[in-house]
Amino acid sequence: MQTPDIQNDEISLKELVQKAGAWFAYFKSQWKIIFLAGLIGGLLGLGYAFTKKTIYTAKLSFALEEKGSSTNGLASVAAQFGLGGITGASGGGVFSGGNMIEFLKSRFLIEKTLLSTVSINGKSDLLINRYIRFNKLDKAWAKKINLVGLKFKNADRTKFTLQQDSVLGIISSGLIKNNVTIAQQDKKLSIINISVASTDEIFAKVFSEKLIETVSDFYIETKTKKSRSNVMLLQNRADSVQRELNAAMYGRAQFGDQNMGLIRQQAAVPKLKQEMKVQMLGTLYGELVKNLEFAKLTLMREEPLVQIIDQPILPLPKARLGKLKAMVVASVLFFFMTLFFLILNKLYRDLIK
């Protein structure tokens, strides 16, 4: 009873060998097509390698460092002048944890960086105009009536046209998606890495530097906003008291000049009032100056620091597709694609027979 099973197995194996031989013969008969496909693929790969531009990558790493604050003292000073509720540095949730990564990739920050004025080869211009030139967007826009001659002359968004707003948005979105990479070096560390890839080496370097500069300015301004406001209020109050003190001192001197030689005690009362006013304003001004200096010192202690650890240095690392690699990859790809279509073709022909 085992003999038929052995015979069936032998027949199946034989058929399998025959089918494999048939497929081999079929592919052998189509060798010209397969060879031509591989050759075309190799040539296309070589052509792609010639046209593919070199990509330069600027890498920068930094850390956010907050200095110690002394908000209680500053709050008490503010309370003396009716400024209750004003404390020291403001805690910015946007700068904590993963929020910082998303903030660095925000459209707001990328657009603000693109609108930065930079000096390259002795010429000052907005960074976005350089992006437009090296990507030859101005030439592409020459065929579009509403974009012909479009250029950014200043960073004032209130003066932008609808086309400028649209172009700025499209460029910033493209940079966020394809060119700018933000990553935290280690979850346990506060070091953040920025990578900017571009076909323009200078743009990649300058954009990464301007991006961290923009972040630093915004970070410091946000974290010290309340403290700076408090310093300004104290400064304004001190200036006001100083003006009143100067006026009182001149008034006292003027009264003395006009009433020299008077003997009656009643005539001396206005002079005493002026002297008391001068003394009171002098004491108040002294306290204001002391508190103002304390507020300034506290602000300096609270001001956070963006510490750059590594910054891009020319020449930047570059990535270019090798000609040989492009030829081999494209040839192999076309080879297997051709085999796939030949298999489908043969199976279809066998079915319709």
Side-chain angles (χ1 to χ4, degrees):
M1 299 192 54
Q2 296 177 350
T3 306
D5 292 336
I6 295 173
Q7 290 177 348
N8 289 336
D9 290 342
E10 290 177 350
I11 292 172
S12 299
L13 181 60
K14 183 178 180 181
E15 289 178 350
L16 183 62
V17 172
Q18 288 176 349
K19 287 183 178 181
W23 277 106
F24 179 78
Y26 172 69
F27 288 135
K28 187 176 180 180
S29 65
Q30 303 294 324
W31 72 270
K32 292 182 179 180
I33 296 176
I34 297 173
F35 174 78
L36 185 61
L39 180 62
I40 293 174
L43 293 175
L44 289 175
L46 181 63
Y48 178 76
F50 273 110
T51 57
K52 181 68 174 177
K53 294 182 178 180
T54 302
I55 302 296
Y56 299 92
T57 303
K59 296 182 179 181
L60 184 149
S61 61
F62 70 98
L64 300 178
E65 178 185 343
E66 292 189 28
K67 299 180 181 179
S69 63
S70 178
T71 58
N72 292 334
L74 189 57
S76 64
V77 172
Q80 295 179 26
F81 302 99
L83 305 175
I86 296 181
T87 58
S90 59
V94 71
F95 302 110
S96 60
N99 292 345
M100 187 62 182
I101 304 297
E102 295 303 317
F103 174 65
L104 285 166
K105 295 188 292 184
S106 66
R107 177 172 170 175
F108 162 77
L109 205 60
I110 299 299
E111 288 184 353
K112 196 172 181 65
T113 304
L114 282 171
L115 294 176
S116 300
T117 300
V118 296
S119 180
I120 301 175
N121 298 327
K123 296 181 179 179
S124 296
D125 199 359
L126 297 182
L127 199 53
I128 190 172
N129 288 328
R130 185 176 181 89
Y131 181 92
I132 291 172
R133 286 195 297 271
F134 77 77
N135 281 289
K136 299 180 180 179
L137 297 179
D138 48 347
K139 294 182 179 179
W141 294 339
K143 301 176 182 178
K144 300 180 180 180
I145 299 177
N146 59 336
L147 294 176
V148 175
L150 188 147
K151 187 178 180 181
F152 293 82
K153 297 181 180 179
N154 57 68
D156 188 356
R157 294 293 299 269
T158 61
K159 297 180 180 179
F160 279 15
T161 63
L162 180 62
Q163 289 78 14
Q164 286 176 319
D165 268 326
S166 178
V167 167
L168 179 60
I170 292 172
I171 291 177
S172 61
S173 298
L175 284 170
I176 295 169
K177 184 178 180 181
N178 304 313
N179 302 89
V180 181
T181 304
I182 312 292
Q184 194 167 356
Q185 187 167 317
D186 192 316
K187 292 183 179 180
K188 297 180 180 179
L189 303 175
S190 59
I191 299 175
I192 298 175
N193 297 327
I194 298 176
S195 294
V196 179
S198 175
T199 55
D200 185 287
E201 186 177 22
I202 301 299
F203 177 85
K205 179 179 184 296
V206 175
F207 186 88
S208 64
E209 293 171 340
K210 278 294 178 181
L211 179 59
I212 190 59
E213 182 180 321
T214 304
V215 172
S216 178
D217 293 342
F218 185 83
Y219 179 55
I220 293 173
E221 180 183 356
T222 302
K223 298 290 284 186
T224 61
K225 184 176 181 180
K226 289 184 178 180
S227 294
R228 289 181 184 276
S229 176
N230 192 40
V231 169
M232 289 179 63
L233 288 172
L234 287 171
Q235 182 68 64
N236 291 336
R237 180 59 177 154
D239 292 342
S240 176
V241 171
Q242 185 182 31
R243 287 192 294 269
E244 291 183 34
L245 177 60
N246 291 338
M249 292 173 67
Y250 278 110
R252 183 183 64 178
Q254 185 178 12
F255 180 85
D257 292 339
Q258 293 175 351
N259 296 276
M260 292 181 65
L262 291 177
I263 301 175
R264 296 177 60 187
Q265 295 294 323
Q266 185 178 356
V269 172
K271 180 181 179 182
L272 292 174
K273 288 184 176 180
Q274 287 288 343
E275 289 178 348
M276 289 177 62
K277 185 176 182 180
V278 168
Q279 185 178 3
M280 182 178 62
L281 288 173
T283 303
L284 178 59
Y285 181 69
E287 287 298 315
L288 277 170
V289 171
K290 182 177 68 175
N291 292 331
L292 178 60
E293 291 303 315
F294 173 74
K296 289 180 179 179
L297 179 61
T298 303
L299 176 60
M300 291 176 60
R301 292 177 58 190
E302 292 175 347
E303 189 170 278
L305 176 67
V306 176
Q307 181 64 48
I308 298 177
I309 301 171
D310 289 317
Q311 57 185 7
I313 300 175
L314 297 176
L316 298 179
K318 57 184 179 180
R320 185 178 181 88
L321 182 61
K323 299 178 181 63
L324 180 60
K325 181 180 179 180
M327 289 178 63
V328 172
V329 171
S331 294
V332 172
L333 179 62
F334 270 68
F335 172 78
F336 282 107
M337 287 177 59
T338 304
L339 288 183
F340 177 74
F341 284 113
L342 287 175
I343 291 172
L344 291 179
N345 181 60
K346 188 176 186 308
L347 291 174
Y348 176 74
R349 288 166 54 187
D350 290 345
L351 285 175
I352 62 176
K353 283 185 179 179

